[in-house]
Amino acid sequence: MYLQIFNNPSHGLAHLCYSSRVSCRVRLSRVLAMPPSSVLLHMDESNDLPKPKKGFCLSEDSRNSLNSLPADSLLRQANTVGIIGGVSTDSTLKFVKKLVDWSSNDGKSSLPFVLCSDPALNKELLLYEENSYPSLYHREESTPVDPKLIVENLRNKRRYLERCGAKLILMPCHIAHIWYEEVCEGSLVPLLHMGECIAKELQEAKMKPLEAGNPLRVGVMATSATLSAGFYQEKLQSNGFEAVLPDKATMEHTVIPSIEAMKREDMEGARNLLRIALQVLLVQAVNVVMLGSDEMRDLLPGDDPLLKKCVDPMDALARSAIKWAENRCS
């Protein structure tokens, strides 16, 4: 375990960057150029900072000081964003990097944020997603996951971020949006929905249907758990789009085998199968395909021509948060 602290003279606090291996220092360095008003917190399931263990460099006094801070004492800016980490730490950090890079005008300052990461929550979300593909993990029975516990954990993170001074909450995690409504209950601040963010951006793009007289069609490519939840389809349809999903044959012969190939670390095979699945959607007169899976998105190289026909809800969430922050400051 490794916890690295970066002093924050302007607020008397620290930037906390947590990783499971010391070798992750280089990977984490991508998000170290943060605004002096931003804090990264690695939380345990009880929503406290982890107790000192061998190899940690956070003192007992520092941990107690941060845990005992009164409400709204970490960040006081009116445009502070709170971020709840999702299934993948890598994906969360990539999202944070985009948020920092895209909101920075001079390469130094960006919107203030607090990031809360909990490995117990990450594991619960991952297990829930894996249970939608029991055959891929060679399980006769799926490992039980109590959605009520996931919801309560997400709510606890939301409440903690509110106490830290967050005025907007983000969940850069597709699976977590299954419980968006429940997590929002009792919230003191708004919580952006990725489906609503991407639907609004597609509306603003003012695209024309590929087939005259038909509604504008948007393909949705995601895992079985995300597709079954239906929140992306619902948001698209409520904003005037027709959502087109992979049919059963496409799921069985390309999407699921692509995920199987990823688990075997056959990335080239997984990539080729995903390309076929995307092509099957595109020939159905869809204008764009929404990629509701980070693993699928990361499979395709940046120069892949198919990416020009795809949109990423994570990117829409980051842009919407930046727009919100700019409006708060204007």
Side-chain angles (χ1 to χ4, degrees):
M1 298 290 186
Y2 183 73
L3 181 68
Q4 192 167 3
I5 302 177
F6 302 88
N7 291 332
N8 186 341
S10 63
H11 287 268
L13 295 172
H15 289 173
L16 307 181
C17 292
Y18 175 91
S19 72
S20 58
R21 301 188 303 274
V22 176
S23 61
C24 290
R25 289 183 184 178
V26 175
R27 185 193 71 189
L28 288 174
S29 66
R30 295 177 299 171
V31 297
L32 300 188
M34 295 183 295
S37 56
S38 297
V39 185
L40 276 71
L41 299 175
H42 173 83
M43 315 302 297
D44 61 22
E45 196 166 5
S46 64
N47 299 303
D48 289 331
L49 291 165
K51 294 180 180 179
K53 298 179 182 178
K54 184 178 180 180
F56 275 58
C57 53
L58 180 65
S59 69
E60 180 72 20
D61 289 342
S62 296
R63 185 177 65 87
N64 289 338
S65 295
L66 282 169
N67 279 333
S68 62
L69 283 169
D72 201 25
S73 58
L74 277 179
L75 299 176
R76 297 182 180 277
Q77 290 90 333
N79 62 339
T80 297
V81 171
I83 306 168
I84 302 174
V87 171
S88 163
T89 302
D90 279 338
S91 176
T92 300
L93 291 177
K94 287 177 183 178
F95 174 81
V96 171
K97 187 176 187 301
K98 287 180 180 179
L99 199 65
V100 170
D101 290 347
W102 296 351
S103 64
S104 175
N105 294 322
D106 55 11
K108 297 179 180 179
S109 60
S110 67
L111 60 82
F113 67 87
V114 184
L115 168 61
C116 182
S117 175
D118 177 2
L121 175 60
N122 299 354
K123 184 177 180 179
E124 290 170 353
L125 292 169
L126 179 60
L127 193 56
Y128 185 92
E129 184 174 45
E130 289 179 351
N131 282 347
S132 65
Y133 299 110
S135 62
L136 298 189
Y137 300 90
H138 308 290
R139 299 172 183 156
E140 293 183 3
E141 295 182 2
S142 60
T143 305
V145 180
D146 189 348
K148 292 181 180 178
L149 294 179
I150 296 178
V151 169
E152 188 56 32
N153 205 340
L154 288 167
R155 282 177 179 167
N156 286 339
K157 301 301 176 291
R158 189 213 74 212
R159 295 184 190 112
Y160 196 92
L161 291 171
E162 290 174 351
R163 296 206 312 270
C164 288
K167 303 300 187 295
L168 179 75
I169 304 295
L170 308 178
M171 293 193 300
C173 173
H174 303 283
I175 293 296
H177 276 68
I178 293 173
W179 304 282
Y180 172 86
E181 300 294 339
E182 292 93 327
V183 177
C184 285
E185 289 179 8
S187 180
L188 303 175
V189 300
L191 197 157
L192 290 184
H193 192 295
M194 283 202 292
E196 191 67 33
C197 293
I198 191 67
K200 287 184 176 179
E201 284 198 351
L202 291 173
Q203 274 190 331
E204 293 170 358
K206 299 188 181 303
M207 296 180 290
K208 302 294 183 183
L210 297 182
E211 293 181 346
N214 290 332
L216 197 147
R217 312 183 87 195
V218 176
V220 182
M221 181 65 67
T223 63
S224 289
T226 300
L227 291 175
S228 297
F231 55 86
Y232 280 130
Q233 300 93 294
E234 178 186 340
K235 293 298 181 182
L236 288 170
Q237 290 165 3
S238 64
N239 283 275
F241 299 102
E242 179 183 345
V244 180
L245 310 183
D247 58 21
K248 183 179 179 180
T250 302
M251 291 296 294
E252 291 180 351
H253 298 299
T254 58
V255 178
I256 293 178
S258 176
I259 296 172
E260 288 177 333
M262 277 192 278
K263 301 307 175 186
R264 298 193 307 268
E265 297 187 357
D266 175 12
M267 306 314 287
E268 186 60 31
R271 190 174 296 116
N272 290 334
L273 286 165
L274 177 60
R275 286 178 175 136
I276 294 171
L278 290 172
Q279 293 284 10
V280 170
L281 281 179
L282 288 169
V283 297
Q284 298 180 60
V286 302
N287 287 64
V288 294
V289 175
M290 190 188 69
L291 285 176
S293 165
D294 299 324
E295 284 186 318
M296 294 179 185
R297 169 61 183 84
D298 291 342
L299 266 181
L300 299 176
D303 58 352
D304 195 304
L306 278 176
L307 278 182
K308 295 180 180 179
K309 289 288 187 178
C310 296
V311 291
D312 187 348
M314 290 282 197
D315 291 353
L317 181 66
R319 286 189 289 264
S320 296
I322 293 168
K323 187 179 296 185
W324 170 90
E326 291 172 345
N327 290 337
R328 295 278 290 192
C329 292
S330 60

